């Protein structure tokens, strides 16, 4: 099989697939149109997020048997077109579930204990104790929406913090020793903290909006390591300003480019500026799943799945 690699990934992908006899070609610079001209030569594609694989692209990929996405999210692929064309879809959410879970806990502890703010103040000669009094996780109810690989790993990490973990998912009977499955209404009634672990599709775009936030019974902390467009930013900012959201830890933003490589400067606005300057908000550049270990694990899961299916 001939496979096109469109993004930089861990070299083990190339090394292991070549050893199995696959033919590989790397192209990390060509544009969408340039790749489109040659895509019919390949049996498989390995991607991250650089080029969108829309219906037009897939219809031109006459010999394509599979698309392997090194990561979890598949929103950059026209899933319906892929299904209609019998193209196998492969991803590797198992590879960065642990790094995402650790990032969630890390951001939340920093936010709730004002660690980043306090550290900067001390380094600048400012010594404030009462103003930097923290808020404990112990005794709180942690609500998760989406109990797949990321949600489960997050619940597991929280098991030693003395929190009650509940979750809502569209699939039934997912509860385990680390979390209890509840209705969305129950989650909104009980949660002190809300963390998103869902894909981006038509049903989850702007899931957290003004209406959703108004149904949260308590003032709460909010964590998003899923996708920026799962959240309506204007509603988020409004809720932070009025105190409904006590603080937000955001690894993803609505204003990211589709490739996740940077913010889309053309969408610069007051809401974004508020998030970037507020002491109640921590923002990281879409790195929750981005550890040295996850880079290798993401790649290994992809190789193993390709080999199992097509070797």
């Amino acid at each position: 099989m001939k496979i096109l690699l469109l993004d930089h990934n861990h070299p083990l992908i190339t090394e292991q697939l070549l050893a199995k006899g696959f033919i590989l070609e790397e192209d990390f610079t060509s544009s969408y149109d340039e790749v489109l001209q040659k895509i019919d030569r390949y049996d498989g594609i390995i991607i991250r997020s650089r080029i969108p694989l829309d219906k037009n692209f897939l219809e031109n990929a006459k010999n394509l048997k599979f698309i392997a996405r090194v990561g979890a999210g598949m929103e950059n692929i026209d899933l319906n077109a892929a299904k209609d064309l019998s193209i196998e879809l492969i991803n590797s959410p198992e590879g960065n579930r642990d790094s995402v879970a650790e990032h969630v806990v890390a951001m939340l502890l920093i936010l709730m204990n004002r660690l980043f703010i306090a550290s900067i103040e001390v380094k600048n000669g400012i010594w404030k104790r009462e103003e930097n009094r923290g808020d404990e996780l112990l005794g709180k109810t942690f609500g998760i929406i989406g109990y797949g690989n990321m949600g489960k790993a997050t619940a597991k990490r929280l098991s030693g913090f003395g929190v009650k973990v509940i979750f809502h998912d569209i699939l039934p009977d997912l509860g385990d020793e680390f979390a209890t499955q509840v209705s969305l209404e129950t989650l909104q009634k009980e949660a002190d903290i809300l963390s998103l672990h869902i894909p981006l599709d038509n049903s989850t775009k702007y899931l957290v909006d003004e209406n959703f936030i108004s149904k949260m019974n308590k003032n709460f902390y909010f964590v998003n390591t899923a996708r920026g467009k799962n959240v309506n930013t204007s509603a988020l900012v409004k809720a932070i300003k009025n105190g409904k959201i006590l603080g937000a830890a955001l690894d993803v933003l609505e204003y990211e480019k589709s490739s996740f490589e940077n913010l889309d400067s053309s969408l610069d606005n007051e809401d974004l500026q508020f998030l970037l300057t507020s002491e109640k908000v921590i923002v990281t550049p879409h790195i929750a799943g981005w550890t040295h270990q996850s880079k290798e694990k993401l790649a290994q899961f992809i190789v193993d799945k390709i080999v199992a299916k097509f070797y």
Side-chain angles (χ1 to χ4, degrees), residues 30-70:
S30 291
S31 67
Y32 172 96
D33 290 330
E34 289 169 334
V35 175
L36 192 66
Q37 299 305 312
K38 62 177 183 180
I39 194 58
D40 60 350
R41 306 176 199 168
Y42 302 97
D43 302 290
I45 307 175
I46 299 177
I47 64 166
R48 287 197 67 88
S49 306
R50 187 172 69 86
I51 291 180
L53 306 189
D54 57 17
K55 183 177 181 180
N56 177 58
F57 186 99
L58 297 180
E59 287 178 343
N60 278 274
K62 304 296 184 183
N63 297 303
L64 200 61
K65 298 175 178 63
F66 75 85
I67 300 167
R69 165 43 164 122
V70 183

Side-chain angles (χ1 to χ4, degrees), residues 108-109 112 135-143 158-166 189-193 218-219 221:
L108 196 55
L109 290 174
M112 294 176 66
D135 191 8
E136 295 180 6
L137 275 172
L138 180 67
K140 289 184 170 55
T141 297
F142 193 104
L158 291 165
S159 60
F161 282 91
V163 299
K164 176 185 177 182
V165 183
I166 58 176
K189 179 182 178 181
E190 297 184 4
D192 299 289
I193 302 159
K218 303 177 183 178
N219 296 342
Y221 293 97

Side-chain angles (χ1 to χ4, degrees), residues 205-206 224 227-236 250 252-258 263-264 267 269 271-272 275:
K205 186 174 182 179
Y206 301 136
N224 189 12
R227 289 292 184 262
K229 287 187 171 63
N230 291 138
V231 181
N232 180 294
T233 305
S234 295
L236 173 66
L250 309 173
V252 291
L253 293 169
E254 181 181 352
Y255 310 109
E256 288 177 73
K257 292 182 178 180
S258 60
L263 294 176
D264 188 342
L267 297 176
N269 59 43
D271 289 332
L272 176 58
L275 295 179

